[in-house]
Amino acid sequence: MVSLLRLRRQRDIFRFLMSVDNLSFPEAVRWVAEKYSIALPVFVARPEESDKDRQQILDATQATEAFYQNVLRAEPEAQEARRYLQQRGLREEVIEKFGIGYAPSGGGRLIGYLTEQGFAAELLEKAGLAKKSELGKGYYDSFRRRIIFPIKDVRGKTLAFGGRVMDDGVPKYLNSPETVIYSKSRHLFGLCFAREAIREQNHAILVEGYLDCIIPFQEGVRNIVASLGTSLTQGQVRLLGRYTKNVVVNYDPDTAGVNAMRRSLELFLEEGFRVNVLRLPDGLDPDAFVRRSGAQEYRRSMKQCEPYLEFIADEALKDAGAGARSRLNAVNAVLPILAKVPDRVERLEFVSRISSG
Ligand code: GTP
Ligand code: MN
């Protein structure tokens, strides 16, 4: 039996697990203890009150994923959802792998199911699964009539959900709120499925959307993750940095996408990444491109993507027009970002390249 003192001394391992796997300290201790068959002193094994909440919220979230999956598989109401997924080109095995499900209408199905299993409605509210009704004292399901995409941590534990409408309703995607188990700035969609391939290939592809990640993955592009929306955070960049320092950013080619790209690329540079930018033809996002042209063509276009600084310079040159002055403008546009490239040699090389046209 390991003494508590020895456990404390090894607290770095626990800190590591806490940040990478989103565990609380006692959870990290329990995880290590289980893995190495170490008997824990009782007072470490007994969770504190807030910790109990956390564990219950995690449990309720796993149960919710299973519930939505069952609805998608088995219920007549989900027929439209099954058809929708089929239309978007998702096959059975990828639906299973990503844990995709369907939140039924009715407003109380999930709450009914979970309270029967002993979860209190207040807890479900804290988990972002239920909302308090404004009229009475009751609660209603947060997700209704939506395709459900579970958002998981690196170990595959489900922490949150994104729900998509099947028509033109708004919002197109509804996401879980921040909870004690989920902070959207600290996770990347699909990382638990992609991390081995990312490590093996020492290279990751970053996309924006759920299906931009799932469809290429289904077609064999396994080193792909999604930031879910446009503002990448330092936490997400550091998380990816545990697996590789090489990334291709493949955001939507619209203006919002280009601006988002600039910001995220600065973050990558600050963390010492080598960054390339991939812009797909015809304004296609990765999902649409792979469905149109296939994964092989997608991989091929990956080889032609441009280094980040060239992307920024190109954008600047486009704005500035032709001639020597435009080169100067381009250099000026690049300089503030160039300052973030940690490697001095790389920095100098680039300046000489761009200033000589
Ligand atoms: P599909 O139409 O399903 O292919 O979605 P998309 O990924 O192509 O959509 P879009 O490019 O508009 O958005 C990219 C990503 O931003 C989505 O996958 C979501 O993660 C996120 N997003 C888009 N719309 C919304 C929204 O209305 N609310 C929230 N919270 N996130 C959204
Ligand atoms: Mn899309």
Side-chain angles (χ1 to χ4, degrees):
M1 177 153 132
V2 165
S3 76
L4 190 61
L5 203 68
R6 265 174 66 199
L7 279 177
R8 283 249 175 246
R9 237 183 282 137
Q10 293 175 16
R11 201 167 161 169
D12 273 354
I13 266 206
F14 304 124
R15 282 199 190 290
F16 176 77
L17 286 168
M18 285 161 75
S19 69
V20 176
D21 289 350
N22 192 39
L23 302 181
S24 69
F25 179 65
E27 278 170 345
V29 172
R30 279 196 294 275
W31 187 85
V32 172
E34 243 171 63
K35 181 154 173 88
Y36 297 103
S37 312
I38 300 164
L40 284 178
V42 179
F43 57 88
V44 173
R46 188 174 54 219
E48 291 167 15
E49 203 51 45
S50 65
D51 215 58
K52 225 163 81 190
D53 242 19
R54 200 189 144 80
Q55 188 56 51
Q56 280 192 18
I57 287 173
L58 260 176
D59 291 346
T61 304
Q62 312 317 300
T64 298
E65 179 183 1
F67 174 79
Y68 289 148
Q69 279 185 292
N70 281 330
V71 173
L72 179 71
R73 269 186 220 119
E75 294 196 11
E77 192 200 325
Q79 202 186 340
E80 189 190 350
R82 291 193 292 271
R83 204 177 307 129
Y84 178 86
L85 290 170
Q86 198 183 8
Q87 267 165 15
R88 295 216 54 174
L90 280 90
R91 293 191 296 272
E92 209 49 57
E93 67 267 20
V94 90
I95 292 174
E96 284 291 321
K97 180 157 187 128
F98 281 80
I100 296 167
Y102 181 68
S105 58
R109 289 278 314 279
L110 178 70
I111 296 173
Y113 173 78
L114 290 176
T115 47
E116 219 165 82
Q117 293 194 15
F119 296 104
E122 299 77 41
L123 185 99
L124 303 182
E125 192 191 11
K126 283 189 210 165
L129 299 168
K131 287 192 177 130
K132 216 177 212 138
S133 120
E134 277 166 26
L135 301 171
K137 285 190 295 183
Y139 292 86
Y140 61 93
D141 293 354
S142 301
F143 296 97
R144 298 174 307 279
R145 300 200 67 231
R146 281 172 186 270
I147 307 267
I148 296 293
F149 299 96
I151 300 167
K152 297 164 187 269
D153 67 13
V154 284
R155 287 170 55 219
K157 271 253 187 263
T158 297
L159 307 177
F161 301 97
R164 196 197 192 287
V165 290
M166 292 174 291
D167 52 23
D168 299 330
V170 283
K172 177 154 82 169
Y173 283 95
L174 183 69
N175 282 347
S176 297
E178 305 267 311
T179 66
V180 293
I181 60 169
Y182 178 62
S183 150
K184 72 171 188 249
S185 62
R186 285 179 49 200
H187 298 282
L188 287 164
F189 180 78
L191 186 56
C192 62
F193 304 119
R195 63 178 185 165
E196 270 176 43
I198 291 174
R199 238 184 211 140
E200 274 167 28
Q201 300 172 35
N202 188 18
H203 169 228
I205 303 165
L206 178 73
V207 297
E208 281 185 70
Y210 295 97
L211 287 151
D212 298 324
C213 174
I214 296 171
I215 292 290
F217 186 93
Q218 173 177 268
E219 302 309 323
V221 179
R222 296 285 151 95
N223 57 330
I224 189 164
V225 295
S227 57
L228 299 184
T230 45
S231 51
L232 193 74
T233 68
Q234 190 182 50
Q236 290 175 312
V237 169
R238 289 192 171 161
L239 179 62
L240 191 61
R242 293 187 188 278
Y243 302 94
T244 187
K245 293 282 187 183
N246 298 303
V247 69
V248 170
V249 180
N250 183 195
Y251 278 3
D252 288 5
D254 56 21
T255 320
V258 169
N259 287 332
M261 194 130 67
R262 272 171 202 258
R263 282 194 303 277
S264 34
L265 298 183
E266 284 177 39
L267 284 172
F268 276 124
L269 289 178
E270 282 166 1
E271 296 299 324
F273 272 78
R274 287 189 166 266
V275 197
N276 286 277
V277 171
L278 174 61
R279 280 181 292 186
L280 294 168
D282 306 327
L284 294 176
D285 65 14
D287 156 36
F289 182 88
V290 168
R291 265 187 301 136
R292 190 189 73 175
S293 305
Q296 212 177 347
E297 199 56 37
Y298 185 60
R299 274 205 211 84
R300 206 171 295 146
S301 62
M302 203 72 59
K303 295 211 174 79
Q304 292 156 12
C305 60
E306 39 178 358
Y308 164 54
L309 287 166
E310 278 170 30
F311 163 79
I312 294 288
D314 275 2
E315 291 291 308
L317 280 167
K318 242 192 259 165
D319 293 345
R325 170 167 299 204
S326 75
R327 265 208 305 280
L328 186 66
N329 285 342
V331 172
N332 280 336
V334 171
L335 281 179
I337 298 148
L338 194 62
K340 299 204 161 146
V341 177
D343 187 294
R344 189 168 160 271
V345 176
E346 216 176 298
R347 225 161 39 219
L348 291 176
E349 260 174 24
F350 189 79
V351 171
S352 74
R353 215 159 71 217
I354 190 179
S355 52
S356 63

